[in-house]
């Protein structure tokens, strides 16, 4: 009888412990991935080791601006219609772009993607800095997009006079990394998207104003949180030998001078020069001409190299690929000039890594007209891009 009671008590304790484990597991969000068969694991903690930065603060309109896109953060009681009215954009277009009806109430903090750029944040809109949030380097895509938006038809980009030296400096652009923008497809969840980009689902929800159920909709645009920069690695210090702990063994006298190597040395062939080798030859019926006569040393690769690099003799003239108007002239982070020429409202060409610029903003250029020169030494190449709107395209179909 005593043995039976002991067994019952042991079974009851085991069942209680099992129940506690199950209840404990229920405190975490469930997300079963059945693509690998039944019994998939939860992805709630798939990216808990990643620390993300906080989402930037919007201006008084709710706008957060990045070089390649803008978003609006909904306020309490907002709808697509109220946001469109506040920003002066088309309500049907804004609703269609975000896959939501115009009169559906939005959550406070929900992110709405803007199909077109609105006025950039500034002190007048309650922003902490002017213009889009940018990284330290000049983004050629942003430069091309600004040239399209700001340059009126037939005219170059207009610039304002600098304030007097005694005036207080105007707030500059805000710095930061541009997050990836993900468009939700059918069947995706917040957990699968967080796992795809290896970020915590909680951070994904905070950045996009998701509800407690982490629900998302097809066609919705989500901002992928930006990871915080890791702290610099500690500098290694030289080891200190403690008293009585021994010291490094000195080099034996016989090993002061190494023995001669009697093995025959292998001859290593010199690496071939970095040169794709294709010569810049323009056909008579091509839409554009090559900006320089030389060889292509780097080809177009979307997302990696947004144009082509053409190497030629130092000081060679850099020519306009086609007739147009100089829409902008700026410099890279290293102070190297960049020229943007607008050929029509949506088509631009970009000429980077040049020197001795001989044109100005608003200058009308003809096909093949010299605008600058190539730099000297190993930098004697031009980075040439063709952009339709904000997106780069392969320049070769225009040149051949």
């Amino acid at each position: 009888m005593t043995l039976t009671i002991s067994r019952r008590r042991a079974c009851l304790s085991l069942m209680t412990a099992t129940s506690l484990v199950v209840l404990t597991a229920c405190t975490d969000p469930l997300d079963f991935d059945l693509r690998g068969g039944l019994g998939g694991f939860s992805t709630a903690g798939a990216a808990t080791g990643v620390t993300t930065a906080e989402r930037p603060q919007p201006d008084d309109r709710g706008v957060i601006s990045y070089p390649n896109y803008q978003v609006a953060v909904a306020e309490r009681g907002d709808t697509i219609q109220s946001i469109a009215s506040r920003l002066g954009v088309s309500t049907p277009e804004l609703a269609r772009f975000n896959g939501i009806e115009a009169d559906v109430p939005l959550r406070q903090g929900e992110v709405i993607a803007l199909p077109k750029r609105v006025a950039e944040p500034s002190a007048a809109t309650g922003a902490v800095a002017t213009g889009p949030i940018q990284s330290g380097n000049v983004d050629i895509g942003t430069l091309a997009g600004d040239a399209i938006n700001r340059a009126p038809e037939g005219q170059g980009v207009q610039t304002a006079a600098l304030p007097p030296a005694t005036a207080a400096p105007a707030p500059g652009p805000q710095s930061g990394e541009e997050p990836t923008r993900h468009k939700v497809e059918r069947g995706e969840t917040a957990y699968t998207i967080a796992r795809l980009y290896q970020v915590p689902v909680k951070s994904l929800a905070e950045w996009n104003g998701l509800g407690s159920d982490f629900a998302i909709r097809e066609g919705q645009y989500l901002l992928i949180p930006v990871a915080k920069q890791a702290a610099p690695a500690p500098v290694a210090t030289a080891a200190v030998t403690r008293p009585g702990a021994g010291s490094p063994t000195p080099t034996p006298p016989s090993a002061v001078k190494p023995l001669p190597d009697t093995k025959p040395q292998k001859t290593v062939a010199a690496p071939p020069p970095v040169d794709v080798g294709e010569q810049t030859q323009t056909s008579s019926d091509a839409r554009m001409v090559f900006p320089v006569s030389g060889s292509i040393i780097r080809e177009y690769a979307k997302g990696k190299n947004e144009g082509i690099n053409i190497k030629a003799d130092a000081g060679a003239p850099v020519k306009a690929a086609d007739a147009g108007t100089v829409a902008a002239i700026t410099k890279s982070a290293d102070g190297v000039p960049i020229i943007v020429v607008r050929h029509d409202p949506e088509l631009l060409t970009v000429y980077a890594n040049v020197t001795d610029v001989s044109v100005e903003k608003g200058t009308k250029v003809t096909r093949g007209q010299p605008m600058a020169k190539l730099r000297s030494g190993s930098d004697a190449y031009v980075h040439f891009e063709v952009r339709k709107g904000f997106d780069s395209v392969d320049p070769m179909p225009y040149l051949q």
Side-chain angles (χ1 to χ4, degrees), residues 107-156:
R107 293 180 302 273
Q108 183 177 8
E110 185 172 351
V111 171
I112 300 299
L114 302 183
K116 296 180 181 178
R117 299 190 76 86
V118 298
E120 294 293 345
S122 63
T125 65
V128 296
T130 60
I133 301 172
Q134 299 188 30
S135 59
N137 297 327
V138 173
D139 182 73
I140 296 179
T142 304
L143 181 64
D146 291 343
I148 294 175
N149 293 331
R150 299 178 183 176
E153 189 69 27
Q155 299 180 8

Side-chain angles (χ1 to χ4, degrees), residues 22-359:
V22 173
L23 290 175
T24 302
C26 291
T27 61
D28 294 331
L30 296 177
D31 175 43
F32 294 105
D33 188 354
L34 303 182
R35 290 175 295 180
L38 294 175
F41 295 96
S42 170
T43 62
T48 53
V50 178
T51 304
T52 58
E54 294 183 359
R55 187 184 68 188
Q57 291 296 323
D59 64 6
D60 292 346
R61 304 169 300 170
V63 173
I64 301 177
S65 181
Y66 290 103
N68 295 304
Y69 62 85
Q70 292 176 318
V71 297
V73 180
E75 301 175 355
R76 185 181 300 274
D78 256 341
T79 62
I80 290 291
Q81 186 172 4
S82 64
I83 293 178
S85 178
R86 184 165 66 243
L87 300 180
V89 299
S90 169
T91 299
E93 184 179 12
L94 185 63
R96 184 169 56 253
F97 192 72
N98 288 271
I100 189 173
E101 297 295 332
D103 56 351
V104 173
L106 302 174
R107 293 180 302 273
Q108 183 177 8
E110 185 172 351
V111 171
I112 300 299
L114 302 183
K116 296 180 181 178
R117 299 190 76 86
V118 298
E120 294 293 345
S122 63
T125 65
V128 296
T130 60
I133 301 172
Q134 299 188 30
S135 59
N137 297 327
V138 173
D139 182 73
I140 296 179
T142 304
L143 181 64
D146 291 343
I148 294 175
N149 293 331
R150 299 178 183 176
E153 189 69 27
Q155 299 180 8
V157 177
Q158 303 298 318
T159 59
L162 292 174
T166 57
Q174 188 176 355
S175 62
E177 294 296 326
E178 178 178 285
T180 301
R181 189 173 63 169
H182 179 89
K183 186 174 184 179
V184 178
E185 299 181 359
R186 179 172 300 179
E188 289 185 318
T189 67
Y191 299 100
T192 60
I193 295 174
R195 180 174 53 198
L196 175 65
Y197 293 98
Q198 298 182 354
V199 297
V201 68
K202 182 180 179 182
S203 297
L204 183 69
E206 291 175 348
W207 270 65
N208 296 276
L210 303 183
S212 57
D213 57 353
F214 299 156
I216 56 178
R217 64 181 180 277
E218 183 181 0
Q220 180 179 1
Y221 283 94
L222 297 178
L223 298 183
I224 305 303
V226 177
K228 285 185 177 178
Q229 293 185 351
V235 179
T237 57
V240 179
T241 303
R242 300 182 60 184
S247 59
T249 304
T251 305
S254 60
V256 172
K257 186 177 181 180
L259 296 175
D261 188 2
T262 58
K263 296 181 180 179
Q265 299 294 328
K266 295 182 180 179
T267 57
V268 180
V274 181
D275 194 336
V276 176
E278 184 176 353
Q279 297 298 312
T280 56
Q281 297 180 356
T282 305
S283 60
S284 57
D285 56 348
R287 172 70 170 81
M288 298 179 178
V289 297
F290 281 93
V292 295
S293 298
S295 58
I296 301 174
I297 60 174
R298 191 175 181 187
E299 297 177 327
Y300 174 81
K302 185 70 173 178
K304 297 181 180 179
N305 189 41
E306 303 296 341
I308 59 175
N309 294 1
I310 309 173
K311 188 175 182 63
D313 296 332
V318 178
K319 305 173 184 179
D322 198 10
T325 303
V326 178
I329 298 177
T330 187
K331 293 183 179 181
S332 66
D334 299 328
V336 181
I338 301 172
I339 305 174
V340 178
V341 177
R342 180 169 58 83
H343 304 284
D344 60 48
E346 292 293 328
L347 187 66
L348 297 99
T349 52
V350 180
Y351 312 77
N353 198 51
V354 299
T355 187
D356 296 339
V357 178
S358 57
V359 293

Side-chain angles (χ1 to χ4, degrees), residues 5-25:
I5 295 176
S6 300
R7 286 181 178 177
R8 289 179 179 177
R9 288 179 178 176
C11 292
L12 181 60
S13 299
L14 180 60
M15 291 174 63
T16 304
T18 305
S19 301
L20 290 175
V21 171
V22 173
L23 290 175
T24 302

